[in-house]
Amino acid sequence: VLAGCSSSGDGGGGTAEGLTGSGSGDSCVIDATVPVGAALSLTGGAASYGESQQKGLELAVEHLNEKDGVEYALSVEDDATDPRQAISVFEGFVADGSSAIIGPTLSNTAFQAQPIAQESGVPVLAISNTATGITEQGDFIFRDSLTEAQVIPQTIAAAKEKLGLEKVVVMYSNDDAFTESGFEVMESALEDEGIEVADTLTFSVKDTDFRSLLTTAKQQDPDAIVVSALIEAAIPLVTQARELGIDQPIIGGNGFNNPALMADAGDAAEGVIVGAAWNSASDSPENTDFMAAFEEKYGAGPDQFAAQAYAGMQIIDHAVRVNCSGERTDVQDGLTQVTDLPTPLGAISINADRDAEHPAVVQIVKDGAFAVLQ
Ligand code: 1QQ
C-alpha cells in the first residue's frame, strides 16, 4: 500500500522524500516541505465553520513558514459537509503522502472518514470535533477541540447560578453525531445540577421551521431552553423563539460558537449563552498577536473555529519538530508529546486519550458579540 512508503520513521538517515531532518525543536531543519492536508466543509451546511477554519490554518502556515527550519505545504480540500466526500478527500491525502490530516469540520463526518487515516497510519488532528468517541477510533486520531463533555457541564452550572434555573426544555437534532452527543452531555449535566427537564424535543439537522416545537416548549414555561444544534438550525430556532414571544434564555452547545448567529439572528441572539474553547477576551500575547494578525489579514476578527485551526497548525509544528520529522509515525509520536504548548486557546496539552486539555469559558451574546459571562 502507498501509506507504507512513508511510514518508517526511525529518524537520522533521511528518506527519499527527505522528511526526516536534523536537530530538534527550534533547531530542527527538514530539507523537504512537509505536506499537511486539511479536509474542511467549505460548502454545504457547515461552510461557515469551514471557511473560518481555512483562514486560521492559512494564517498559521504563513507564520510558521516565517520560522527557520521547517516549511509546510498546506492543501485544503472541501468535504462539502458530506461524509462520503470526506472519505474521498481522506483517501487523497493518504495517497499523496500527507504527513498529517487536519479535520474534517464535523464530528458526523469525522466518524466516517477517520478510519481511512487510522487504517493507513496517517495522524489526524481534529480541530473542531467535540462529540464523545472521536479519538477512541484509534491511536492515530488526536484533537485540539474541547469536547462537549469538557464544556457543557460548567456552562450549565454557570447558567444555573446566574439565572436560577430550575426547569428547562431541551431541543436537539437527532440525526447528527455531534448534536446527539451534545444532547447526552446536556441531559446528564442538567441531572447533575438538579434541573428538571420538562420536555425533550427533537428535530432534523435540515429543519428550519421550529415554530411548532417552540410553541410546545413555551407551554412548559421553562426557565431556559437548552439546545444542541448546528448553526443552520440555531439561527432560525433562536429567531423564531423571539418571534413567538419566548424571552427566556437560550443555552446552546458548540454549534452556536459562530458569528453567523449574531449576523443573521440579530437582536434575537442577545442573551444566548454558549460555552466555548476560546476566550476572545484573553490578553495572553499568543491570543492578542493572533487576533491582530487575523484582523489585519482578513479585515474581520477570528472566531473560535479560526483560533482552534490556528492552534492546530501550531500543534502539528510542535509534533513535527519534537522528532524533527514529517514521517507519519514520527508525527503521531510527536502529537503524544504536547504539554502546555502556548496557543491562542491558552496552554494546550494532549492527554493520554489524545484529547486536548486547556481552559474553557462561558459566554453570553451581548451587543452582537460573545462576551464572558460574569
Ligand atoms: C462537531 C462540532 C461542530 C459544531 C463543529 C463545527 O462541534 O461536529 O463536533
Side-chain angles (χ1 to χ4, degrees), residues 46 49 53 105-108 128-131 176 178 230 254-255 305:
Y49 306 112
Q53 294 178 309
T105 298
L106 298 185
S107 292
N108 198 58
S128 52
N129 300 328
T130 63
D176 172 87
F178 149 72
L230 288 163
N254 191 46
F305 294 96

Side-chain angles (χ1 to χ4, degrees), residues 53-74:
Q53 294 178 309
Q54 180 172 18
K55 289 180 179 160
L57 290 180
E58 287 176 352
L59 180 65
V61 168
E62 206 176 287
H63 287 172
L64 292 170
N65 284 351
E66 285 165 9
K67 265 176 73 176
D68 288 340
V70 186
E71 166 123 18
Y72 296 94
L74 174 71

Side-chain angles (χ1 to χ4, degrees), residues 9-72:
D10 45 12
T15 65
E17 302 93 346
L19 281 172
T20 19
S22 55
S24 175
D26 286 343
S27 72
C28 164
V29 176
I30 300 175
D31 289 339
T33 301
V34 176
V36 176
L40 303 177
S41 302
L42 302 175
T43 57
S48 58
Y49 306 112
E51 286 161 11
S52 180
Q53 294 178 309
Q54 180 172 18
K55 289 180 179 160
L57 290 180
E58 287 176 352
L59 180 65
V61 168
E62 206 176 287
H63 287 172
L64 292 170
N65 284 351
E66 285 165 9
K67 265 176 73 176
D68 288 340
V70 186
E71 166 123 18
Y72 296 94

Side-chain angles (χ1 to χ4, degrees), residues 128-151:
S128 52
N129 300 328
T130 63
T132 303
I134 287 288
T135 50
E136 286 164 29
Q137 279 197 319
D139 59 352
F140 278 83
I141 316 296
F142 298 79
R143 63 173 141 196
D144 81 352
S145 37
L146 295 180
T147 65
E148 289 292 67
Q150 289 170 295
V151 176

